[in-house]
Amino acid sequence: MRLPSRFSCVAAFWLLTQSVSAAAQPVPASAVDPQKEARLAWFRDAKYGLFIHWGLYAIPAGEWKGERVPGIGEWIMNRAKIPVAEYERLAAQFNPVKFDADAWVQLAHDAGMKYIVITSKHHDGFALFKSPASRFNIVDATPFKRDVLKELAAACAKRNMRLGFYYSQAQDWHEPNGAGNNWDFVPNAQKDFDQYLRDKAEPQIREILTNYGPVALIWFDTPQLMTPERARRFTDLVRSIQPQTLIDGRLGAEGDYITTGDNIIPGGKQTQAWETPATINHTWGYRKDDVDWKRPGEIIFKLLDIVSKGGNYLLNVGPMADGVIPQASQDVLREVGRWLRINGEAVYGATATPFGDELGEPSARGAKDVRGEPLFLVRTDYRVTAKPGKLFFTFFLEPRVPFELPAMKNAVKQAYFLANGKPLEIVEKDGTRAFTVRRPILDPLGTVIVVEFEGDAVMR
Ligand code: H79
C-alpha cells in the first residue's frame, strides 16, 4: 500500500472537520446521555471562551534565520523543517519574565469570557508544565523554570474562571514515534505510535488531570493515526481521573461536543453542543507580522451568530515570548467585553433562534463554496437568541421600518431596548406584529431588543 503523504493526511483531517452541515442535526432521544448533558451544562451556558496558544514558537514569531516563514506561527518548526536539536535550543532562550497569570485571567474576565483553554503541549512537543514524562518542558528545559499551568490554575480559581487544556495527542514533532515529524524521523506509518502514546501522551494527560485542580475540558487536536481503540484509552483515562472534564470533538472518537473546523461557523443551528475555535488575526501562535486584528463589531457579530445557532465561540490570542498578550488584541477583546457588560443577557445562557430564516439561505442557483459544498448566502442584518419567555433581537444594521416579528403563535407582552429599558410599541396589523426603531440605531456594534412573550418556548 502506498503511504499517504503528511499533507494528504492533514488535508483529510481538514475535510473531516468541515462536515458540520447547514441544517440542524436532529438528535434521536435514544442518543441523549444524561451524564453527558450534566457535564455539558456549564459549557452550554458559557458561550464565549479565551483560547491561548503559547510556546517556544513565540520566539521566532514567524521568522527563521532572517526569512519569513508563511503559515500559522505555531507550525514554524514543521514549515521550516527545523531539526529537533535546533528547535530545542529555543528552550534555553525562553524566559517570559513578564508572564502574569492574574493579568491573563483578568483579560478573559474583562472580555466577558467564561473559560480559558491553553496549549499545554502543541505539535512541537514542548510542555508548558513540569512533566515527569518528558524533560522538554518549561520547568526543566528553560531558564524561566515556572509552571505556567500551575500559576494559571491558581489565578483562575481566584476569579471563578474555568480552565481547560489543549493537548496535541497525536502530533509530536519532538518525538521519533509521535506523528508528524518526517524530516528528522521515519514516516508516520513506520513509527511505533503506541510507544509514543504510552510513554508521553498518556502520562502527560494523566499529569495535567492530576496536578492542576478541576480541568474544565481537554482540547485534543488533529487525530492522525488515532484508531477508535487508541481514542478509547484517552476517554477512559480522562473519565477515570476527572469524570466531569469535557472532551472536545477532535480526539478521534465521539467527544462531549462537536468542534467545527478552525474558523468555521456552520450555516445553521445544531442541537448537539458545539464550539468554533477561531483566531483574532490569522495565526494562533504569535507572529510579529500579523497585525490584522478582527474589529470588535466583527467579533460581536460572530459571537451572536454562533450563539443563535446553539454554539460556543473559543477566540484565540497568541502571547509574545516575553509573556505579554499583544496590546492591540487586548484592546479589541476589552471593547467586546464592554458591549457584553450591557448586553450579555442576550448571550450567556441563551439558546438558539427558534426561527432561522434570518441566518441566510442556500444559493438558489446551486452555486458551490470553496469547499465544493452548496453555497450558503449569509444574512447579517440581525440574529435571534432565546431564553424562556424572551427573545433577543440583536441588530447589526438598522432594522426595516416597521420591523415585522417572525411568525409565532404566542402572545407578545412587551418589547424594549436591553441597554436602557426604553419600551418599543408593538403594532399588530393583518396578523403580523411589528415595532419601529428610530434612527440612529442605538449601538453600532449591536443593538439588542428584547421581546417578551407568553409561555416559555416559541410556538410556530
Ligand atoms: O492549534 C491550532 C492549529 O495549529 C491546529 N488547530 C488549531 C486549533 C491545526 N493543526 N493542523 N491544522 C490546524 C491544519 C493544518 C493545516 C496545514 Fe499547513 C496546511 C498544515 C500544512 C498545510 C498551515 C499551512 C500550516 C502549515 C501550512
Side-chain angles (χ1 to χ4, degrees), residues 196-330:
Y196 161 72
L197 295 182
R198 217 170 36 239
D199 292 352
K200 184 166 179 185
E202 291 176 40
Q204 288 197 329
I205 288 290
R206 179 178 290 282
E207 289 163 20
I208 60 179
L209 284 164
T210 306
N211 300 333
Y212 304 98
V215 177
L217 57 87
I218 305 276
W219 217 97
F220 295 103
D221 202 4
T222 60
Q224 295 180 13
L225 303 177
M226 292 299 291
T227 59
E229 193 271 322
R230 287 166 175 157
R232 182 61 197 266
R233 301 211 299 263
F234 282 99
T235 312
D236 289 349
L237 190 55
V238 175
R239 300 284 182 250
S240 72
I241 306 172
Q242 291 204 32
Q244 297 308 312
T245 298
L246 299 178
I247 295 173
D248 79 329
R250 294 190 183 172
L251 172 58
E254 197 187 309
D256 288 307
Y257 61 86
I258 294 169
T259 305
T260 70
D262 294 353
N263 284 306
I264 299 292
I265 300 175
K269 53 184 162 173
Q270 318 283 325
T271 35
Q272 272 201 68
W274 64 274
E275 178 183 63
T276 288
T279 51
I280 194 166
N281 45 357
H282 301 276
T283 182
W284 305 86
Y286 176 68
R287 283 191 69 104
K288 57 189 161 197
D289 61 357
D290 186 351
V291 293
D292 188 20
W293 315 107
K294 289 179 185 61
R295 305 296 310 157
E298 278 181 84
I299 293 170
I300 292 167
F301 174 76
K302 286 180 197 293
L303 176 60
L304 271 293
D305 187 31
I306 288 168
V307 175
S308 83
K309 295 165 180 173
N312 284 20
Y313 191 19
L314 182 62
L315 182 57
N316 181 75
V317 293
M320 299 180 289
D322 62 0
V324 174
I325 296 170
Q327 189 60 44
S329 60
Q330 292 197 40

Side-chain angles (χ1 to χ4, degrees), residues 123-422:
H123 309 334
D124 65 358
F126 178 74
L128 281 184
F129 57 99
K130 161 107 182 135
S131 172
S134 162
R135 278 194 52 78
F136 193 42
N137 73 73
I138 192 161
V139 175
D140 293 319
T142 78
F144 190 55
K145 292 189 178 13
R146 280 160 54 187
D147 186 324
V148 161
L149 298 198
K150 194 135 254 169
E151 293 184 25
L152 264 179
C156 284
K158 277 192 269 173
R159 300 234 52 156
N160 248 343
M161 181 71 66
R162 289 183 193 261
L163 179 62
F165 299 134
Y166 173 106
Y167 188 90
S168 180
Q169 79 281 23
Q171 295 201 65
D172 193 316
W173 307 328
H174 185 261
E175 307 301 325
N177 289 308
N181 184 340
N182 61 2
W183 56 98
D184 287 290
F185 310 121
V186 296
N188 281 353
Q190 292 166 35
K191 293 181 193 214
D192 184 354
F193 185 58
D194 285 307
Q195 183 273 330
Y196 161 72
L197 295 182
R198 217 170 36 239
D199 292 352
K200 184 166 179 185
E202 291 176 40
Q204 288 197 329
I205 288 290
R206 179 178 290 282
E207 289 163 20
I208 60 179
L209 284 164
T210 306
N211 300 333
Y212 304 98
V215 177
L217 57 87
I218 305 276
W219 217 97
F220 295 103
D221 202 4
T222 60
Q224 295 180 13
L225 303 177
M226 292 299 291
T227 59
E229 193 271 322
R230 287 166 175 157
R232 182 61 197 266
R233 301 211 299 263
F234 282 99
T235 312
D236 289 349
L237 190 55
V238 175
R239 300 284 182 250
S240 72
I241 306 172
Q242 291 204 32
Q244 297 308 312
T245 298
L246 299 178
I247 295 173
D248 79 329
R250 294 190 183 172
L251 172 58
E254 197 187 309
D256 288 307
Y257 61 86
I258 294 169
T259 305
T260 70
D262 294 353
N263 284 306
I264 299 292
I265 300 175
K269 53 184 162 173
Q270 318 283 325
T271 35
Q272 272 201 68
W274 64 274
E275 178 183 63
T276 288
T279 51
I280 194 166
N281 45 357
H282 301 276
T283 182
W284 305 86
Y286 176 68
R287 283 191 69 104
K288 57 189 161 197
D289 61 357
D290 186 351
V291 293
D292 188 20
W293 315 107
K294 289 179 185 61
R295 305 296 310 157
E298 278 181 84
I299 293 170
I300 292 167
F301 174 76
K302 286 180 197 293
L303 176 60
L304 271 293
D305 187 31
I306 288 168
V307 175
S308 83
K309 295 165 180 173
N312 284 20
Y313 191 19
L314 182 62
L315 182 57
N316 181 75
V317 293
M320 299 180 289
D322 62 0
V324 174
I325 296 170
Q327 189 60 44
S329 60
Q330 292 197 40
D331 294 345
V332 170
L333 292 182
R334 286 205 168 84
E335 190 160 345
V336 175
R338 276 192 287 281
W339 186 90
L340 280 166
R341 271 198 287 288
I342 296 166
N343 299 291
E345 217 192 312
V347 172
Y348 309 117
T351 53
T353 175
F355 313 115
D357 286 352
E358 75 278 14
L359 301 173
E361 60 195 324
S363 160
R365 296 191 188 154
K368 299 273 195 285
D369 68 15
V370 287
R371 288 171 278 141
E373 304 274 329
L375 179 67
F376 190 74
L377 301 169
V378 178
R379 292 210 184 100
T380 57
D381 319 31
Y382 69 97
R383 286 295 179 264
V384 183
T385 51
K387 284 185 179 168
K390 281 182 184 177
L391 291 168
F392 301 88
F393 289 79
T394 304
F395 290 97
F396 303 99
L397 299 169
E398 291 179 359
R400 288 185 194 192
V401 171
F403 177 80
E404 285 183 11
L405 293 179
M408 57 191 255
K409 295 198 178 111
N410 313 58
V412 170
K413 295 203 280 197
Q414 55 169 340
Y416 52 90
F417 288 93
L418 180 58
N420 58 19
K422 276 203 183 132

Side-chain angles (χ1 to χ4, degrees), residues 7 10 53 72 74-75 79 122-123 166 221-222 262 284:
F7 191 87
V10 170
H53 274 67
I72 39 187
E74 70 284 3
W75 270 72
R79 284 297 296 256
H122 204 267
H123 309 334
Y166 173 106
D221 202 4
T222 60
D262 294 353
W284 305 86

